[in-house]
Amino acid sequence: MRGEPRRQAVTVLGATGSIGTSTLDVIARHPERYRVHALTAHRSREALLAQCRVHRPAVAVLDREADAAWLRARLAEAGLATEVESGTDALVAVAEASAVDVVMAAIVGAAGLLPTLAAVDAGKRVLLANKEALVMSGALFMEAVAKSGATLLPIDSEHNAIYQCLPVDHRGGLARHGVTQLLLTASGGPFRGWSARELAEVTPSQACAHPNWSMGRKISVDSATLMNKGLELIEACWLFDARPEQVQVVVHPQSVIHSMAAYSDGSVIAQLGNPDMRTPIAYGLAWPERIEAGVEALDLFQVARLDFEAPDEAAFPCLRLAREAMAAGGTAPAVLNAANEVAVEAFLEGRLAFTGIAELVARVRDIEPIAPARDLETVLEADAGARRAAREWLARR
Ligand code: NAD
Ligand code: MG
C-alpha cells in the first residue's frame, strides 16, 4: 500500500500582490498537494491578516516591526498560531527554511533579489515571477541555480510558454536543441499605435489600465512603456541561454499566444491560453504534472483571429534600451532596472511624464559606469548608484 504523498510546503513572497493572490487561489484548489508555510507582504497588513485567516501559515512577514506587532495582536485575538516577523532577514529565513519545498518569488522589483537568491541557494523549487531579480543578477543567479540544483520554473507567462515549447532538458544553449529563435509575444500595452506626442500626456491611471491582464502598478507601467518586454528579453536570455538577437519581440494584441519557439526544421511551437496567470502558476507548482488552475478553457471561436505586428521602438525606446543593456553586459542590466524603478515611481507619483521614463533610464545609462558583475556586492552597488543618479537627475530638472 502506498502512503499519502507528503504535501508540499510553499512560501509565497509578495503574497498580497496580483501574483501572490493568484498563487493562493491555485493552492486553495489543491489542499491535498500543498500547504502554506509562509506569507509575506510589504505594507499591506490588512490583506495579509485576511490571508493568514484563510491559509493558516506557520510564519507571516511584514516589512516594518510596527506592522508586524499589529498583525501579531490581531492573530492572537483570532487564536491563530502564526508567528509574525519583520524585515529582510525574516524574508530570507522563510525563503530558505528547511521546512519549505517551494518558493513563489512574487515580490516586485529589486527588493525581491535577496530572498529569491536565498531560495535558490537553498535548492528549493523556485517559481520566478520577480523578473527584476534575474535581470539584475543574471549570470550570478543562473550560476547559483546550477550550483545548488534548485529547480527554477519561470512564471512570467511568456517564459513559462517558452519553457513549455522547449525540450524538457534544454540545457546547453538553444542551437543544441535545434531552436533558432524565441518569439516573445507582447500585447503592446494600452498605448499601442500612439505617437510620441500623444504618449507625453499619458496619466498613471491610463497606464495602469492594461487591456488584457490585471497586474500590480509597477509592471502595468512597464507594460505600457514596453520596458516590461525589455526586461523579459533579458530574462529570456538568462533563462534559456539565448543571445539578444535570438529573441524576437512580436506584438500580438490578443495575448492568446503567450510565446513561441522556432526550430531549424521550420516548426514553430506556441503555447496558447486565456490570459490568466493561474495557468503558469499551476504549471510551476505541479511540474512535470498538470493540475486544474481555475482557468476557463480557451474558446478559439470566440478568439476568432490572432494578429501580429512589429514593435514600434521609436515611440517605445525602452525596448531598445533593454536590448542594449543586455548586449553591454556586466552591471548594465542592473543599472537599467534600478533607473527604471525610480522612474516608474516618479511617474506614478506625478513627478515625471510618461515619456520621461525612457529619458531618465537613458540618462542614467549614459552616466553610470558599467562593471563586470563579479559578485552580488558589485550588483547591489550598481543598483544603489543608479538609483542615486536617477534621483539626482529628477531633482535637478
Ligand atoms: P504587486 O504590486 O501586485 O505585488 C507585489 C507584492 O510584493 C505585494 O505583496 C507587496 O506587498 C510586496 N512588496 C512590494 N514591495 C516590497 C518590498 N520593498 N519588500 C518586500 N515586499 C514587497 O505586483 P505583481 O503584479 O504581483 O508582480 C510581482 C512580480 O511578478 C513582479 O516582479 C512582476 O514583474 C512579476 N510578474 C507579474 C505578473 C502579473 O500578471 N501581475 C506577470 C508576470 C510577472
Ligand atoms: Mg510577462
Side-chain angles (χ1 to χ4, degrees):
M1 265 204 6
R2 289 214 334 244
E4 282 287 297
R6 196 176 69 84
R7 292 194 301 165
Q8 302 274 295
V10 187
T11 282
V12 184
L13 301 169
T16 54
S18 163
I19 294 290
T21 308
S22 292
T23 303
L24 289 173
D25 180 281
V26 177
I27 286 176
R29 290 166 193 275
H30 303 280
E32 73 299 343
R33 293 182 76 115
Y34 308 106
R35 66 184 174 83
V36 175
H37 173 76
L39 297 176
T40 86
H42 189 53
R43 297 280 186 262
S44 39
R45 62 187 199 181
E46 300 272 358
L48 191 59
L49 170 62
Q51 292 183 335
C52 287
R53 286 178 187 276
V54 175
H55 298 281
R56 312 284 174 111
V59 188
V61 182
L62 281 158
D63 180 44
R64 296 185 291 212
E65 182 46 37
D67 289 325
W70 177 89
L71 182 63
R72 220 171 271 132
R74 299 291 86 71
L75 290 171
E77 284 162 15
L80 293 176
T82 300
E83 233 179 85
V84 185
E85 320 258 1
S86 63
T88 306
D89 290 351
L91 286 180
V92 167
V94 296
E96 66 187 14
S98 59
V100 172
D101 304 292
V102 183
V103 174
M104 165 54 85
I107 289 173
V108 57
L113 178 62
L114 293 180
T116 304
L117 272 181
V120 167
D121 287 336
K124 306 300 184 192
R125 168 177 295 219
V126 179
L127 310 188
L128 183 70
N130 180 201
K131 65 193 88 185
E132 297 92 346
L134 179 59
V135 166
M136 289 173 73
S137 66
L140 295 169
F141 192 105
M142 296 310 289
E143 278 160 24
V145 171
K147 190 165 161 214
S148 70
T151 305
L152 180 63
L153 292 159
I155 298 304
D156 214 345
S157 59
E158 296 78 3
H159 307 75
N160 188 271
I162 291 168
Y163 194 93
Q164 296 194 43
C165 296
L166 292 180
V168 175
D169 184 355
H170 52 257
R171 285 173 297 188
L174 295 175
R176 209 172 133 191
H177 306 283
V179 178
T180 51
Q181 219 172 21
L182 302 178
L183 303 169
L184 196 64
T185 54
S187 70
F191 311 127
R192 186 172 56 88
W194 288 35
S195 68
R197 218 162 46 103
E198 292 168 316
L199 289 172
E201 306 298 320
V202 160
T203 65
S205 62
Q206 283 176 306
C208 289
H210 194 277
N212 303 339
W213 303 91
S214 148
M215 310 179 286
R217 283 163 67 79
K218 193 261 176 182
I219 183 177
S220 295
V221 175
D222 285 348
S223 299
T225 59
L226 290 200
M227 181 58 93
N228 182 51
K229 214 45 61 180
L231 297 176
E232 290 184 355
L233 185 149
I234 298 173
E235 186 185 10
C237 289
W238 290 118
L239 284 171
F240 306 117
D241 201 0
R243 296 186 308 275
E245 61 275 17
Q246 288 177 300
V247 184
Q248 160 126 54
V249 174
V250 179
V251 175
H252 163 48
Q254 290 90 359
S255 297
V256 165
I257 295 181
H258 299 313
S259 280
M260 303 169 254
Y263 285 82
S264 52
D265 61 5
S267 298
V268 176
I269 303 186
Q271 186 261 357
L272 286 71
N274 283 316
D276 187 322
M277 290 305 293
R278 290 177 299 177
T279 296
I281 291 166
Y283 181 89
L285 282 168
W287 178 89
E289 294 171 26
R290 298 272 182 172
I291 55 172
E292 198 269 325
V295 178
E296 233 180 282
L298 182 65
D299 180 347
L300 281 176
F301 298 118
Q302 206 186 338
V303 173
R305 56 181 283 177
L306 301 173
D307 294 308
F308 307 98
E309 57 190 62
D312 178 354
E313 294 197 14
F316 299 95
C318 285
L319 186 53
R320 178 178 47 80
L321 290 170
R323 194 183 296 108
E324 287 169 1
M326 184 66 199
T331 53
V335 167
L336 172 96
N337 178 67
N340 181 58
E341 286 192 27
V342 174
V344 170
E345 193 182 283
F347 167 69
L348 285 172
E349 289 170 2
R351 294 184 281 117
L352 183 66
F354 182 76
T355 40
I357 296 173
E359 194 186 342
L360 173 49
V361 172
R363 284 297 154 85
V364 172
R365 187 263 316 257
D366 292 343
I367 306 168
E368 285 299 288
I370 302 305
R374 239 176 276 106
D375 47 31
L376 195 57
E377 251 164 54
T378 314
V379 169
L380 294 175
E381 270 168 29
D383 173 271
R387 280 170 205 273
R388 226 177 296 121
R391 296 212 171 92
E392 279 167 16
W393 186 81
L394 280 168
R396 251 200 333 266
R397 265 179 331 141

XYZ file of all heavy atoms in Angstrom, residues 9-14 37-40 59-61 85 87-107 111-127 130 150:
361
model
N 5.282 22.139 1.048
C 5.176 23.369 1.843
C 5.623 24.551 0.984
O 6.711 24.529 0.412
C 6.049 23.258 3.085
N 4.781 25.562 0.898
C 5.031 26.681 -0.009
C 5.201 27.988 0.762
O 4.404 28.296 1.656
C 3.862 26.854 -1.007
C 4.203 27.915 -2.055
C 3.500 25.536 -1.675
N 6.242 28.743 0.406
C 6.377 30.128 0.869
C 6.006 31.038 -0.286
O 6.501 30.859 -1.394
C 7.833 30.414 1.313
O 8.026 29.847 2.615
C 8.112 31.919 1.401
N 5.126 31.989 -0.016
C 4.749 32.957 -1.052
C 5.319 34.325 -0.664
O 4.840 34.968 0.271
C 3.218 33.049 -1.235
C 2.885 33.989 -2.403
C 2.617 31.667 -1.470
N 6.369 34.724 -1.362
C 6.970 36.048 -1.152
C 6.159 37.050 -1.971
O 6.027 36.885 -3.179
C 8.420 36.063 -1.642
C 9.387 35.067 -1.016
C 10.711 35.036 -1.795
C 9.650 35.423 0.449
N 5.626 38.074 -1.313
C 4.756 39.016 -2.053
C 3.354 38.458 -2.194
O 2.735 38.550 -3.246
N 3.522 27.498 4.040
C 4.459 27.655 5.158
C 4.529 29.120 5.586
O 4.420 29.442 6.755
C 5.862 27.158 4.793
C 6.870 27.452 5.866
N 6.938 26.720 7.033
C 7.804 28.435 5.969
C 7.896 27.228 7.805
N 8.426 28.280 7.187
N 4.761 30.017 4.628
C 4.907 31.431 4.986
C 4.289 32.339 3.929
O 4.301 32.022 2.738
C 6.387 31.776 5.164
N 3.768 33.471 4.395
C 3.237 34.517 3.517
C 3.936 35.812 3.884
O 4.135 36.089 5.075
C 1.722 34.679 3.732
C 0.855 33.464 3.400
C -0.611 33.749 3.757
C 0.972 33.098 1.923
N 4.320 36.609 2.869
C 4.980 37.879 3.174
C 4.324 39.021 2.407
O 3.774 38.825 1.331
C 6.492 37.864 2.818
O 6.665 38.229 1.432
C 7.130 36.513 3.076
N 4.347 31.028 9.370
C 5.028 32.317 9.558
C 4.422 33.363 8.612
O 4.073 33.043 7.475
C 6.543 32.198 9.241
C 7.288 33.470 9.633
C 7.173 30.983 9.913
N 4.329 34.603 9.101
C 3.952 35.734 8.247
C 5.014 36.808 8.429
O 5.539 36.984 9.530
C 2.581 36.280 8.640
N 5.358 37.501 7.337
C 6.423 38.518 7.408
C 5.925 39.838 6.816
O 5.344 39.852 5.728
C 7.685 38.066 6.639
C 8.795 39.110 6.752
C 8.190 36.708 7.135
N 7.011 37.952 11.819
C 8.356 38.535 11.836
C 8.383 39.774 10.950
O 7.447 40.014 10.195
C 9.372 37.534 11.268
C 9.157 36.101 11.677
C 10.107 35.676 12.767
O 10.903 36.523 13.196
O 10.057 34.504 13.160
N 11.139 42.484 8.437
C 12.453 42.821 7.868
C 12.991 41.834 6.855
O 12.445 40.752 6.658
N 14.094 42.239 6.222
C 14.690 41.453 5.129
C 15.234 40.108 5.618
O 15.103 39.095 4.920
C 15.838 42.259 4.470
O 15.314 43.525 4.074
C 16.381 41.556 3.252
N 15.822 40.078 6.816
C 16.347 38.800 7.322
C 15.233 37.767 7.443
O 15.434 36.578 7.167
C 17.009 38.984 8.699
C 18.311 39.767 8.589
O 18.768 39.998 7.443
O 18.856 40.157 9.645
N 14.061 38.239 7.850
C 12.912 37.326 8.003
C 12.445 36.833 6.629
O 12.045 35.673 6.487
C 11.772 38.022 8.744
N 12.511 37.701 5.611
C 12.158 37.268 4.241
C 13.106 36.163 3.787
O 12.690 35.153 3.217
C 12.274 38.436 3.254
C 11.204 39.517 3.273
C 11.524 40.574 2.222
C 9.828 38.921 3.012
N 14.394 36.383 4.043
C 15.402 35.398 3.656
C 15.158 34.088 4.415
O 15.211 32.999 3.826
C 16.825 35.956 3.917
C 17.867 34.863 3.834
C 17.133 37.087 2.926
N 14.834 34.193 5.689
C 14.635 32.990 6.509
C 13.468 32.142 5.994
O 13.583 30.921 5.913
C 14.408 33.389 7.975
N 12.365 32.770 5.619
C 11.229 31.954 5.140
C 11.458 31.429 3.727
O 10.777 30.509 3.286
C 9.866 32.695 5.213
C 9.500 32.996 6.663
C 9.842 33.956 4.365
N 12.413 32.027 3.002
C 12.729 31.534 1.654
C 13.639 30.314 1.723
O 13.571 29.438 0.862
C 13.393 32.634 0.827
N 14.497 30.252 2.744
C 15.485 29.154 2.796
C 15.183 28.102 3.862
O 15.903 27.118 3.961
C 16.896 29.739 2.988
C 17.084 30.419 4.324
C 18.432 31.142 4.460
O 19.131 31.354 3.459
O 18.764 31.497 5.602
N 14.104 28.292 4.619
C 13.794 27.385 5.735
C 13.754 25.930 5.275
O 13.259 25.624 4.189
C 12.443 27.768 6.348
N 14.273 25.030 6.133
C 14.350 23.628 5.713
C 12.960 23.018 5.556
O 12.783 22.060 4.812
C 15.193 22.836 6.704
O 14.599 22.938 7.979
N 11.959 23.578 6.212
C 10.594 23.035 6.095
C 9.958 23.328 4.738
O 8.915 22.764 4.407
C 9.712 23.640 7.198
N 10.599 24.210 3.931
C 9.965 24.695 2.702
C 10.426 23.914 1.471
O 11.608 23.637 1.301
C 10.299 26.198 2.518
C 9.836 26.711 1.162
C 9.663 27.005 3.633
N 9.450 23.541 0.612
C 9.771 22.869 -0.645
C 9.751 23.841 -1.822
O 10.568 23.741 -2.728
C 8.736 21.768 -0.932
C 8.637 20.770 0.199
O 9.609 20.033 0.409
O 7.593 20.744 0.894
N 8.758 24.725 -1.832
C 8.514 25.587 -2.993
C 8.485 27.041 -2.548
O 7.854 27.371 -1.535
C 7.138 25.258 -3.629
C 6.908 26.103 -4.884
C 7.007 23.790 -3.936
N 9.164 27.911 -3.307
C 9.109 29.349 -3.018
C 8.580 30.077 -4.245
O 9.149 29.974 -5.336
C 10.493 29.910 -2.632
C 10.440 31.430 -2.469
C 10.983 29.265 -1.334
N 7.468 30.767 -4.072
C 6.964 31.652 -5.123
C 7.612 33.011 -4.915
O 7.399 33.659 -3.883
C 5.437 31.759 -5.026
C 4.839 32.903 -5.820
S 5.301 32.950 -7.570
C 4.105 31.833 -8.266
N 8.445 33.435 -5.868
C 9.130 34.730 -5.774
C 8.265 35.767 -6.485
O 8.367 35.944 -7.692
C 10.512 34.640 -6.404
N 7.396 36.440 -5.733
C 6.435 37.377 -6.335
C 6.484 38.752 -5.683
O 5.497 39.481 -5.676
C 5.022 36.805 -6.285
N 7.653 39.091 -5.130
C 7.875 40.473 -4.700
C 8.158 41.269 -5.962
O 8.738 40.741 -6.912
C 9.054 40.543 -3.704
C 8.629 39.925 -2.360
C 9.548 41.984 -3.504
C 9.752 39.787 -1.343
N 13.750 44.600 -4.532
C 13.544 44.157 -3.145
C 13.428 42.643 -3.041
O 13.636 42.067 -1.980
C 12.295 44.818 -2.559
N 13.114 41.989 -4.170
C 12.953 40.540 -4.130
C 14.250 39.776 -4.318
O 14.285 38.554 -4.163
N 15.326 40.483 -4.647
C 16.557 39.775 -5.021
C 17.104 38.873 -3.904
O 17.367 37.688 -4.133
C 17.640 40.776 -5.461
C 18.994 40.153 -5.822
C 18.873 39.204 -7.003
C 20.041 41.228 -6.123
N 17.292 39.429 -2.706
C 17.950 38.631 -1.650
C 17.133 37.405 -1.249
O 17.678 36.294 -1.202
C 18.301 39.513 -0.453
C 19.388 40.569 -0.744
C 19.692 41.403 0.501
C 20.667 39.930 -1.267
N 15.830 37.543 -0.958
C 15.080 36.323 -0.615
C 15.000 35.324 -1.773
O 15.041 34.108 -1.530
C 13.695 36.836 -0.212
C 13.624 38.256 -0.634
C 15.026 38.762 -0.737
N 14.921 35.812 -3.012
C 14.844 34.873 -4.135
C 16.153 34.109 -4.268
O 16.164 32.882 -4.445
C 14.513 35.627 -5.452
O 13.296 36.353 -5.252
C 14.329 34.669 -6.611
N 17.265 34.816 -4.145
C 18.569 34.138 -4.201
C 18.741 33.169 -3.035
O 19.347 32.105 -3.193
C 19.701 35.171 -4.170
C 20.149 35.731 -5.524
C 21.294 36.712 -5.316
C 20.578 34.611 -6.483
N 18.186 33.528 -1.893
C 18.270 32.619 -0.734
C 17.542 31.316 -1.038
O 18.022 30.221 -0.702
C 17.686 33.292 0.515
N 16.383 31.422 -1.694
C 15.622 30.212 -2.058
C 16.420 29.382 -3.062
O 16.460 28.154 -2.976
C 14.266 30.604 -2.645
N 17.067 30.060 -3.996
C 17.896 29.367 -4.991
C 19.056 28.661 -4.291
O 19.300 27.465 -4.511
C 18.421 30.359 -6.052
C 19.521 29.732 -6.888
C 17.277 30.843 -6.951
N 19.770 29.384 -3.448
C 20.931 28.806 -2.760
C 20.534 27.603 -1.904
O 21.327 26.685 -1.714
C 21.607 29.863 -1.867
C 22.373 30.891 -2.698
O 22.763 30.552 -3.834
O 22.565 32.022 -2.220
N 19.305 27.637 -1.386
C 18.846 26.532 -0.534
C 18.310 25.369 -1.372
O 17.819 24.376 -0.827
C 17.779 27.029 0.439
N 18.371 25.502 -2.714
C 17.995 24.374 -3.586
C 16.502 24.115 -3.682
O 16.077 23.003 -3.999
N 15.692 25.148 -3.449
C 14.238 24.968 -3.498
C 13.741 24.849 -4.930
O 14.455 25.173 -5.885
C 13.536 26.171 -2.851
C 13.979 26.498 -1.443
C 13.735 25.354 -0.493
C 14.104 25.751 0.936
N 14.146 24.569 1.827
N 12.466 24.462 -5.073
C 11.768 24.703 -6.332
C 11.374 26.178 -6.298
O 10.628 26.609 -5.417
C 10.520 23.838 -6.430
C 9.612 24.291 -7.586
C 8.397 23.395 -7.739
N 8.811 22.065 -8.115
C 8.158 21.286 -8.992
N 7.077 21.729 -9.581
N 8.589 20.082 -9.264
N 11.943 26.962 -7.212
C 11.713 28.407 -7.197
C 10.829 28.792 -8.381
O 11.186 28.556 -9.540
C 13.049 29.192 -7.261
C 12.788 30.697 -7.279
C 13.931 28.819 -6.066
N 9.665 29.349 -8.077
C 8.758 29.825 -9.112
C 9.045 31.313 -9.276
O 8.764 32.111 -8.386
C 7.299 29.583 -8.708
C 6.963 28.158 -8.220
C 5.455 28.010 -8.051
C 7.494 27.098 -9.152
N 9.296 37.342 -10.077
C 10.096 38.551 -9.823
C 11.251 38.671 -10.831
O 12.406 38.441 -10.520
C 10.621 38.444 -8.374
C 11.468 39.621 -7.922
O 12.240 39.472 -6.970
N 11.365 40.778 -8.551
N 18.808 23.904 -7.551
C 17.433 24.385 -7.412
C 16.676 24.137 -8.720
O 17.274 24.105 -9.794
C 17.433 25.885 -7.103
